[in-house]
Amino acid sequence: MGAARIIESRRKLNADDAKTLQRIITAADEMSANIQTLLALVRQGKPERPPESFAIGDMLAALCDDYALEQPAHASRLLLDRHSTPVFVTADRALVRMLLHNLISNALNHTQGTVLIREQSGGIAICDQGSATASKPVLDHAGTVPTSGLGLYIVSLACEQLGWQLELADSGGGTCVNVSFNGTMNN
């Protein structure tokens, strides 16, 4: 970060290079926040950042844009269905971003079909379609708690930390992960 900030302060970059440098700085900031969030989750402590209110649909759209830039083939597979009115949550932004990133990444990496991300008034649903390309996550006997896969483990810890409910369901040709912000999901 120090070197990136020095380059930024020189103001000698053309517009495209400045934009690329800003993406690097943003990614490094996000990585730092992710590390702090993971450490807090592992220690089962509260994150140091205060909760803030933000529109979850905006975060989902930004994540979809990031995936499209990093993996252009993913852009055609991601479908974001935004709620008719913005849905706001008050939470640790870095923790929510990590949770959403892990859910979307898991869906993209374990199937070849479409990944539908549906913003709802009380939560989100991320449903993948198509046959599995790798082993699918294993569920416990109740069918609601992931018991394998680091990404889903992080998701379950994040949901626990946030007080959100996590449910995995077979969607008939894929898996649907439902995250409820307050215990109920409304379309």
Side-chain angles (χ1 to χ4, degrees), residues 64 73-81 103-118 125-133 136 171-177:
C64 288
H74 289 329
S76 64
R77 294 180 54 210
L78 285 171
L79 298 174
L80 177 57
D81 180 15
L103 288 175
I104 295 167
S105 178
N106 190 61
L108 288 169
N109 291 326
H110 290 287
T111 62
Q112 295 179 349
T114 301
V115 176
L116 173 63
I117 304 163
R118 189 177 315 116
I126 298 177
C127 303
D128 59 50
Q129 299 169 354
S131 58
T133 59
K136 295 283 269 185
S171 65
T175 301
C176 197
V177 180

Side-chain angles (χ1 to χ4, degrees), residues 109-183:
N109 291 326
H110 290 287
T111 62
Q112 295 179 349
T114 301
V115 176
L116 173 63
I117 304 163
R118 189 177 315 116
E119 176 187 26
Q120 300 166 322
S121 63
I124 57 155
I126 298 177
C127 303
D128 59 50
Q129 299 169 354
S131 58
T133 59
S135 62
K136 295 283 269 185
V138 177
L139 306 179
D140 74 356
H141 64 280
T144 59
V145 179
T147 59
S148 72
L150 180 59
L152 286 175
Y153 178 66
I154 290 170
V155 165
S156 65
L157 287 177
C159 283
E160 183 178 312
Q161 181 86 18
L162 293 163
W164 294 356
Q165 299 297 312
L166 174 68
E167 176 187 89
L168 277 72
D170 182 350
S171 65
T175 301
C176 197
V177 180
N178 298 299
V179 177
S180 173
F181 306 143
N182 55 13

